[in-house]
Amino acid sequence: MKKISKLRGMQDIEPLQAKKYDFIEMEFNSISKSYGYDEVRFPILENTELFERSVGDESDIVNKEMFTFESKSGKSMTMRPEGTAGSMRMAIENGLLDSGQQRISYKGPMFRYERPQKGRSRQFQQLSLEAYGFDDYSIDLEILEICKEFFTKLSLGEKIFLEINSIGTQKDQKIYSTKLKDYFSNFKKDLDEDSLKRLEKNPLRILDSKNEKLFNLIEGAPKIYDSISTKSKENYSKIKDFLEKLQIKYIENPFLVRGLDYYNDLVFEWKSNELGSQDTVCGGGRYDSLSKIIGGRETSAIGFSIGLDRLSLLVEDSIIPKQKSLMIISLEDSYFLDALKLATSLRNKLNNFSVQFLGKEKNLKSLLKKANKKNTDFMVIIGKKEIDSNSYTLKNLPKNLELQVNGFEALINNLNENIQ
Ligand code: ATP
Ligand code: MG
């Protein structure tokens, strides 16, 4: 039969890679919890309107990247391309916003119909935090500090750097949009089809273009800083001041606007020079208007999303704690049950070990071959000799050692000592 392959742009995560994902997710959970962020889960499928209203219809996402289809009853549904809108919808619908400030975390797959390439797939994973109901910049600082602490835990050091900008209020953005429209209108012949459309509907989105031919033109555009209100300027300068005091290094990027419409004031991205052109690992910012856009009460909000797939390309395998592996073999059928029980007892007593019982296989030579192939650390053998003397034969495979151990306690002690 012909093999069935995965769809274009989809990814399979094999065991080795999944171990790294698991490690990163555990670190993420641990840091989120330590700052008081509670995990939530919400659907992958949402009303298409949720994203059209919030992300913005001139954004790349809504314009061309959504996996949208009709249900049997003709309702338009979309596989979530991002989580901020769904998380906010959930908070509104479940009354979370009515019960005061919320710190929320979530993770999972997102879907965007994009051109697949390294670091860009159609299903990808995000790790995200959102904070609702916090007005002042202390939460902006907290969010950036969490990112920094998380990346430090993953030993990323200088591999990753922070870019920030302030895009002012939504009103400021309107004023700025007019300036941008005037500027880009002088260069209509240089603009691509997307940008020409955006010029009419949402000129700010031109700054988010991925078309390298436009980069020079964008560099010459008016800067948003000159259009933002005094209050936003003051807020931004306080944030920068505290970032310095907290020793969180940053680069100001006056053209950083983010690809979604709902942001205001602080926006940021964590990038890396080691990822080629898909260099943004994390994007986030403040979005105080989103709640009202999707029918909730006025609520200030800030958050970020980390692309787990891109992040995992930066994380070294060597920092992932290794689980030791042990195989149990019974050399005769009559000891099958003894070996099976021993495996269960060892799993209960040992931490960070995987214990595999090899069942009815008895050919020691082929078992050793198998163990080597799987990089097994230990083998425990039970045969007549062992049962008669209440002992175990313990093989330390990497060290090529074999010893006779008397009794279960001694076996446990031996294994624990050997992993130091
Ligand atoms: P990009 O500019 O690379 O398209 P974006 O601005 O569309 O990114 P966000 O919506 O801010 O991305 O999503 C946050 C993070 O999720 C990104 O910084 C990136 O790490 C990751 N991400 C986004 N789209 C993809 C994708 N198609 N494949 C893999 N990771 C992605
Ligand atoms: Mg994108």
Side-chain angles (χ1 to χ4, degrees):
M1 288 275 244
K2 196 174 160 245
K3 280 189 194 149
I4 300 173
S5 8
K6 59 182 182 298
L7 295 171
R8 184 167 141 80
M10 297 292 151
Q11 284 193 87
D12 297 322
I13 313 292
E14 293 180 53
L16 259 181
Q17 204 185 347
K19 274 198 184 117
K20 197 190 259 187
Y21 277 40
D22 181 51
F23 171 72
I24 297 174
E25 286 179 351
M26 274 180 7
E27 291 293 343
F28 182 74
N29 288 346
S30 140
I31 198 150
S32 313
K33 282 185 202 154
S34 77
Y35 277 82
Y37 287 74
D38 294 322
E39 186 177 346
V40 296
R41 299 176 191 219
F42 49 87
I44 283 171
L45 264 187
E46 296 272 5
N47 244 308
T48 302
E49 197 187 349
L50 174 66
F51 305 111
E52 284 173 346
R53 257 205 256 166
S54 60
V55 178
D57 52 9
E58 275 316 303
S59 64
D60 273 347
I61 292 182
V62 172
N63 222 346
K64 50 193 177 195
E65 295 175 358
M66 294 210 296
F67 277 92
T68 296
F69 53 90
E70 277 191 1
S71 74
K72 286 186 177 151
S73 62
K75 198 172 168 56
S76 180
M77 303 181 164
T78 294
M79 313 263 286
R80 62 182 188 195
E82 55 107 45
T84 302
S87 169
M88 181 62 96
R89 194 242 348 109
M90 183 206 70
I92 296 168
E93 200 165 339
N94 294 281
L96 296 185
L97 292 191
D98 306 324
S99 48
Q101 297 177 328
Q102 299 286 339
R103 286 181 167 89
I104 278 175
S105 90
Y106 57 86
K107 53 181 162 317
M110 306 293 161
F111 302 82
R112 296 185 194 175
Y113 199 83
E114 303 198 65
R115 190 169 68 80
Q117 50 201 294
K118 188 183 168 221
R120 192 178 293 289
S121 48
R122 290 181 174 176
Q123 175 175 341
F124 59 97
Q125 307 272 333
Q126 285 187 337
L127 309 171
S128 310
L129 292 188
E130 317 278 0
Y132 303 143
F134 300 85
D135 295 326
D136 72 80
Y137 53 77
S138 57
I139 197 75
D140 303 55
L141 293 167
E142 175 175 298
I143 283 280
L144 289 172
E145 187 186 65
I146 294 174
C147 292
K148 188 197 154 191
E149 291 290 312
F150 178 49
F151 297 139
T152 306
K153 276 247 163 73
L154 299 176
S155 305
L156 296 189
E158 302 292 314
K159 276 191 193 172
I160 196 159
F161 57 89
L162 169 65
E163 285 191 355
I164 60 169
N165 193 21
S166 172
I167 57 172
T169 61
Q170 298 265 317
K171 206 169 136 205
D172 299 339
Q173 290 170 37
K174 286 217 174 78
I175 298 169
Y176 178 57
S177 281
T178 319
K179 287 191 192 167
L180 274 185
K181 193 170 175 180
D182 290 344
Y183 170 79
F184 284 116
S185 295
N186 296 325
F187 302 97
K188 269 190 178 163
K189 60 173 184 357
D190 302 317
L191 294 179
D192 56 20
E193 197 186 324
D194 266 353
S195 303
L196 281 170
K197 247 172 74 190
R198 290 167 162 175
L199 186 62
E200 296 312 315
K201 284 193 150 178
N202 189 346
L204 208 81
R205 289 273 72 79
I206 300 178
L207 302 184
D208 199 43
S209 172
K210 298 223 165 36
N211 182 351
E212 287 180 16
K213 288 187 197 136
L214 296 182
F215 287 177
N216 275 341
L217 198 57
I218 289 174
E219 290 247 307
K223 304 211 170 38
I224 198 162
Y225 187 78
D226 302 320
S227 301
I228 69 178
S229 55
T230 317
K231 199 169 157 222
S232 285
K233 272 187 183 148
E234 277 172 10
N235 190 57
Y236 187 42
S237 104
K238 284 262 166 50
I239 290 174
K240 287 189 286 185
D241 190 29
F242 277 109
L243 285 178
E244 273 148 40
K245 290 188 172 119
L246 291 168
Q247 294 181 329
I248 301 177
K249 284 190 216 151
Y250 64 85
I251 300 167
E252 278 187 78
N253 175 353
F255 297 112
L256 182 68
V257 291
R258 312 280 304 114
L260 311 102
D261 274 359
Y262 48 62
Y263 286 108
N264 63 279
D265 290 289
L266 181 75
V267 289
F268 61 88
E269 287 188 348
W270 291 81
K271 294 185 172 175
S272 174
N273 288 328
E274 301 191 9
L275 288 174
S277 45
Q278 269 48 257
D279 60 352
T280 309
V281 173
C282 167
R286 201 169 249 291
Y287 50 95
D288 297 333
S289 54
L290 179 65
S291 172
K292 281 187 91 176
I293 294 174
I294 54 181
R297 58 166 68 210
E298 178 132 23
T299 308
S300 47
I302 182 167
F304 67 77
S305 286
I306 295 170
L308 175 57
D309 312 270
R310 290 184 197 173
L311 178 63
S312 80
L313 295 173
L314 293 177
V315 173
E316 301 284 346
D317 289 329
S318 56
I319 70 159
I320 303 167
K322 292 261 174 319
Q323 199 188 26
K324 292 284 172 185
S325 58
L326 189 159
M327 282 182 173
I328 296 188
I329 296 145
S330 69
L331 291 178
E332 288 172 43
D333 276 348
S334 42
Y335 308 127
F336 180 87
L337 189 62
D338 296 284
L340 191 65
K341 282 186 178 165
L342 176 67
T344 311
S345 310
L346 285 175
R347 287 185 197 112
N348 286 332
K349 283 276 179 183
L350 293 169
N351 288 324
N352 210 19
F353 260 89
S354 78
V355 180
Q356 296 179 47
F357 173 47
L358 287 172
K360 290 179 86 96
E361 280 190 65
K362 286 186 276 300
N363 181 335
L364 200 54
K365 219 167 157 192
S366 88
L367 286 171
L368 276 170
K369 238 189 196 162
K370 205 182 255 179
N372 272 330
K373 218 167 146 189
K374 289 196 148 190
N375 284 329
T376 306
D377 299 296
F378 301 100
M379 245 186 190
V380 176
I381 301 167
I382 304 184
K384 183 167 179 352
K385 182 180 79 183
E386 286 81 5
I387 292 289
D388 286 350
S389 61
N390 184 28
S391 68
Y392 304 94
T393 299
L394 174 63
K395 274 183 181 292
N396 184 329
L397 297 174
K399 290 190 183 159
N400 204 13
L401 289 175
E402 180 178 307
L403 71 159
Q404 217 58 37
V405 185
N406 289 319
F408 184 69
E409 285 306 313
L411 179 62
I412 296 285
N413 291 340
N414 219 295
L415 285 165
N416 278 329
E417 273 165 27
N418 265 297
I419 56 169
Q420 306 303 330

